[in-house]
């Protein structure tokens, strides 16, 4: 082969390699922005979260059955495992705010309120795992949680290690009491990296964009790189007005938020309130259908110990769940609005 032929052949080979690289980059970048690289939440998280139904009820003296306590979580875990919930996919049993003691321990670690959680979180996690379920917990990026318990600011690494040490599988990280937008962003990123460094698989549920919106438009590509799901809008309540306002917000911002959702990272319109008191039958069906279409995390907040057969059948509807859990993970758009 002459020198010229060799040169032409190498240029061709290089051309092929470059073309392949561009194709690979194109395909890699095509579906959605890069997700948090922890391999979790490849379909929307399913489970139960105490907040909407039980809020910050710490009065176990007078209301032992509905206060935020170990007893509540043990009972819900038992039911999730034995009443078909786990079988259809509801896997994460999540504690929200108000589980903590008012102070950290002498080593700066968060601790559970010892009266309401006498066995501590590690023992609760063991029980939850023994039922084939996973345990979620709650903390806050700022100086205090929204209900005034110790915040994680200045303690991100310690808290991530503590949660991993206890065997926690999901962290809901709230955004109250954060003094600047820079602290908010830095804190959410710091905790994401700290959780990853523990080596334990911990789903990271953020409220980062919710707290950013009043100041400026969130960068969802960045948020997706750090969080497995993120709350965008106000807390859900047990009323149709609340569900309507979430749907209105989601659809009016859909061009911005829908394209970013996909395996590993999801928009979180907040909990399912099906099985409570405020929604009619049709409104409950509507919440279930639209949360499925929105590829939303399906986190119920209700009392599984006292739930109607109708609500149970709706929440356990395998066909609707299959739409929510579709591995392609495409969030639906609103195409038309009928006035
Ligand atoms: C905020 C969150 C809620 C809940 C409460 C707890 O309002 O958005 O989902 O976690 O804090 O105090």
């Amino acid at each position: 082969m002459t020198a010229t032929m060799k040169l032409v052949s190498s240029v061709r080979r290089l051309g092929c390699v470059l073309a392949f690289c561009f194709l690979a980059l194109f395909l890699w970048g095509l579906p959605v922005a890069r997700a948090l690289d922890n391999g979790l939440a490849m379909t929307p998280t399913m489970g139960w979260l105490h907040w909407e139904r039980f809020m910050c009820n710490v009065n176990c003296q007078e209301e032992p059955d509905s206060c935020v306590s170990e007893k509540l979580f043990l009972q819900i875990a038992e039911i999730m495992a034995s009443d078909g919930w786990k079988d259809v996919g509801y896997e994460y049993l999540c504690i929200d705010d108000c589980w903590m003691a008012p102070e950290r321990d002498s080593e700066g670690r968060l601790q559970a309120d010892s009266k309401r959680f006498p066995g501590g979180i590690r023992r609760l996690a063991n029980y939850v795992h023994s039922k084939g379920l996973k345990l979620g917990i709650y903390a806050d990026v700022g100086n205090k949680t929204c209900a005034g318990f110790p915040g994680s600011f200045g303690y991100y690494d310690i808290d991530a290690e503590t949660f991993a040490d206890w065997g926690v599988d999901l962290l809901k990280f709230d955004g109250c009491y954060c003094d600047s937008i820079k602290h908010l962003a830095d804190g959410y990123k710091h905790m994401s990296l700290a959780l990853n460094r523990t080596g334990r698989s911990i789903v990271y549920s953020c409220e980062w964009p919710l707290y950013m919106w009043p100041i400026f438009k969130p960068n969802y590509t960045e948020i997706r790189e750090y969080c497995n799901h993120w709350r965008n809008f106000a807390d859900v309540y047990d009323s149709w007005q609340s569900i309507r306002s979430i749907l209105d917000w989601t659809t009016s911002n859909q061009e911005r938020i829908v394209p970013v959702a996909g395996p590993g990272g999801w928009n979180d319109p907040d909990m399912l309130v099906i099985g409570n008191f405020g929604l009619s039958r049709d409104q409950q069906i509507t919440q279930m259908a639209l949360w499925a279409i929105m590829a939303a995390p399906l986190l119920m907040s209700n009392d599984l110990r006292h739930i109607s057969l109708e609500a149970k059948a709706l929440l356990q509807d395998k066909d609707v769940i299959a739409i929510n859990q579709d591995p392609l993970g495409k969030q639906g758009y609103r195409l038309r609005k009928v006035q």
Side-chain angles (χ1 to χ4, degrees):
M1 211 191 271
T2 65
T4 321
M5 281 164 77
K6 265 193 201 152
L7 184 67
V8 169
S9 136
S10 333
V11 167
R12 271 205 198 123
R13 230 177 293 139
L14 182 67
C16 286
V17 170
L18 282 177
F20 176 78
C21 285
F22 281 127
L23 183 68
L25 273 177
F26 175 72
L27 290 176
W28 181 62
L30 198 61
V32 274
R34 198 140 52 89
L36 169 57
D37 186 20
N38 62 4
L40 299 171
M42 296 313 282
T43 59
T45 303
M46 291 178 67
W48 185 94
L49 176 62
H50 93 247
W51 187 254
E52 200 288 323
R53 178 65 187 251
F54 297 95
M55 304 234 120
C56 192
N57 183 354
V58 292
N59 187 355
C60 292
Q61 229 89 59
E62 283 167 36
E63 295 170 55
D65 291 330
S66 52
C67 66
V68 179
S69 69
E70 180 183 278
K71 183 173 138 191
L72 173 67
F73 292 97
L74 294 175
Q75 290 179 346
I76 300 289
E78 164 63 35
I79 292 171
M80 279 173 79
S82 61
D83 256 2
W85 301 100
K86 187 183 77 167
D87 298 340
V88 295
Y90 294 97
E91 189 182 16
Y92 287 82
L93 170 58
C94 304
I95 311 173
D96 206 288
D97 204 349
C98 304
W99 62 271
M100 296 174 197
E103 305 289 342
R104 289 174 178 270
D105 72 9
S106 55
E107 284 161 25
R109 288 172 161 239
L110 289 172
Q111 48 188 348
D113 182 282
S114 60
K115 286 221 173 67
R116 291 181 290 118
F117 291 84
I121 303 297
R122 193 201 305 267
R123 201 175 76 181
L124 178 58
N126 288 343
Y127 180 79
V128 167
H129 294 154
S130 77
K131 294 280 162 194
L133 299 166
K134 296 195 153 84
L135 184 71
I137 209 161
Y138 167 101
D140 189 288
V141 70
N143 292 307
K144 286 191 238 171
T145 72
C146 297
F149 290 87
S152 294
F153 182 69
Y155 295 90
Y156 300 132
D157 296 296
I158 294 189
D159 291 353
E161 279 157 27
T162 306
F163 298 144
D165 200 35
W166 287 342
V168 162
D169 307 289
L170 176 150
L171 173 65
K172 171 174 174 177
F173 209 37
D174 211 337
C176 276
Y177 296 102
C178 200
D179 53 17
S180 75
I181 204 78
K182 178 163 169 20
H183 277 167
L184 187 80
D186 289 351
Y188 271 104
K189 291 182 197 173
H190 192 142
M191 185 52 108
S192 178
L193 299 173
L195 291 173
N196 253 339
R197 271 195 299 272
T198 67
R200 186 172 173 85
S201 291
I202 301 178
V203 171
Y204 187 38
S205 165
C206 300
E207 299 205 32
W208 181 2
L210 167 61
Y211 290 89
M212 277 192 84
W213 269 108
I215 302 158
F216 59 79
K217 290 186 181 140
N219 175 348
Y220 281 97
T221 312
E222 186 178 40
I223 289 169
R224 188 181 157 81
E225 283 172 21
Y226 289 93
C227 302
N228 290 121
H229 25 97
W230 47 85
R231 284 271 310 282
N232 294 309
F233 185 66
D235 294 0
V236 71
Y237 286 97
D238 186 17
S239 75
W240 178 241
Q241 194 196 5
S242 165
I243 303 295
R244 275 290 306 253
S245 67
I246 293 172
L247 292 171
D248 285 345
W249 188 92
T250 304
T251 50
S252 41
N253 290 280
Q254 59 182 1
E255 304 304 336
R256 181 175 288 271
I257 66 167
V258 169
V260 88
W266 311 98
N267 290 297
D268 177 5
D270 212 2
M271 295 158 268
L272 293 169
V273 292
I274 296 163
N276 292 325
F277 316 103
L279 301 187
S280 70
R281 172 87 186 135
D282 286 348
Q283 291 165 349
Q284 297 186 46
I285 292 173
T286 306
Q287 191 189 25
M288 189 70 191
L290 288 167
W291 261 235
I293 292 170
M294 289 191 294
L298 298 182
L299 294 168
M300 307 175 280
S301 193
N302 49 20
D303 190 344
L304 296 181
R305 299 166 301 182
H306 309 284
I307 189 163
S308 71
L309 288 176
E310 271 189 336
K312 183 176 171 191
L314 176 58
L315 287 160
Q316 294 193 359
D317 188 311
K318 289 190 182 140
D319 294 332
V320 185
I321 292 174
I323 290 173
N324 175 263
Q325 295 289 301
D326 186 313
L328 202 58
K330 289 262 177 228
Q331 177 172 347
Y333 281 93
R334 180 177 73 188
L335 293 178
R336 232 176 329 139
K337 186 177 180 187
V338 181
Q339 291 300 338

